[in-house]
Amino acid sequence: MEQVVLLAEDGSAIGVQDKAVVHHADTPLHLAFSSYVFDSAGRVVLTRRALHKKTFPGVWTNTCCGHPLPDEDMAGAVLRRLRDELGMTCSDPELLLPRFRYRAEMDGVVENEMCPVFRVLSDDEPDPNPDEVDSAERVPWTEFAASVLDGTREVSPWARLQVPELVKLGPDPLAWPVADRAGLPAAVQLT
């Protein structure tokens, strides 16, 4: 059974819980990540969540999200999920938003996560795993960001919050600065 790391408000680990039962109406704060895969032309890979997902089914979002396993390196977790969900081989993840945190609700199920955000580079074509991803597409970053900011593109609640923060890093996603690890939740292991 896959487990997630439960967190205190200061970002320290306080236990684990089975992933299958952690998301409900009173979801405890836990550790997650979001990643954005860019190709060499600066296009971002967007994914549409599988239609049978418990939360936000069929919603377009960033490339990949997930939860590190207890004692798993966060970069390794990002690469594991990209491989599992999209069959992609990618560069080492680069930290962009160490302090990102969000809470979102859909039909009584709550997401409540400290969720560092990473940039990953790959020109691999996504091969979506239908258990996780309905479809994928590549979109120029500036086009995607503008459509999220002006409200013409519907995306997941976390992507809607992340995009304005990423836009602040500059117009070229391939030139964004890597963030200081000091802002990460204490429970994060990152080599």
Side-chain angles (χ1 to χ4, degrees), residues 77-92:
V78 171
L79 294 175
R80 173 178 56 83
R81 293 307 301 159
L82 285 166
R83 192 173 46 254
D84 292 350
E85 290 190 16
L86 295 164
M88 298 180 80
T89 301
C90 301
S91 68
D92 288 338

Side-chain angles (χ1 to χ4, degrees), residues 12-72:
S12 61
I14 57 171
V16 297
Q17 190 168 30
D18 290 344
K19 179 182 170 187
V21 299
V22 76
H23 297 99
H24 46 74
D26 193 27
T27 301
L29 182 62
H30 59 279
L31 188 59
F33 63 82
S34 285
S35 64
Y36 289 75
V37 172
F38 294 95
D39 64 17
S40 55
R43 296 178 303 167
V44 62
V45 175
L46 304 178
T47 58
R48 184 172 185 236
R49 291 169 60 84
L51 300 176
H52 60 270
K53 286 286 218 182
K54 185 176 180 179
T55 56
F56 305 96
V59 173
W60 283 94
T61 193
N62 56 296
T63 312
C64 181
C65 294
H67 305 89
L69 302 172
D71 298 320
E72 183 180 25

Side-chain angles (χ1 to χ4, degrees), residues 79-154:
L79 294 175
R80 173 178 56 83
R81 293 307 301 159
L82 285 166
R83 192 173 46 254
D84 292 350
E85 290 190 16
L86 295 164
M88 298 180 80
T89 301
C90 301
S91 68
D92 288 338
E94 297 173 306
L95 181 63
L96 297 173
L97 303 175
R99 292 182 176 91
F100 182 76
R101 179 181 177 171
Y102 79 100
R103 186 179 186 283
E105 182 178 343
M106 180 180 188
D107 298 330
V109 178
V110 173
E111 294 278 3
N112 186 19
E113 300 176 337
M114 287 188 182
C115 184
V117 179
F118 293 84
R119 169 183 53 208
V120 186
L121 306 176
S122 179
D123 285 321
D124 279 6
E125 277 307 310
D127 181 17
N129 173 348
D131 290 337
E132 299 289 340
V133 178
D134 177 73
S135 53
E137 67 176 346
R138 288 188 191 271
V139 178
W141 169 256
T142 53
E143 176 187 315
F144 170 66
S147 66
V148 170
L149 294 175
D150 71 16
T152 57
R153 181 184 284 267
E154 288 292 318

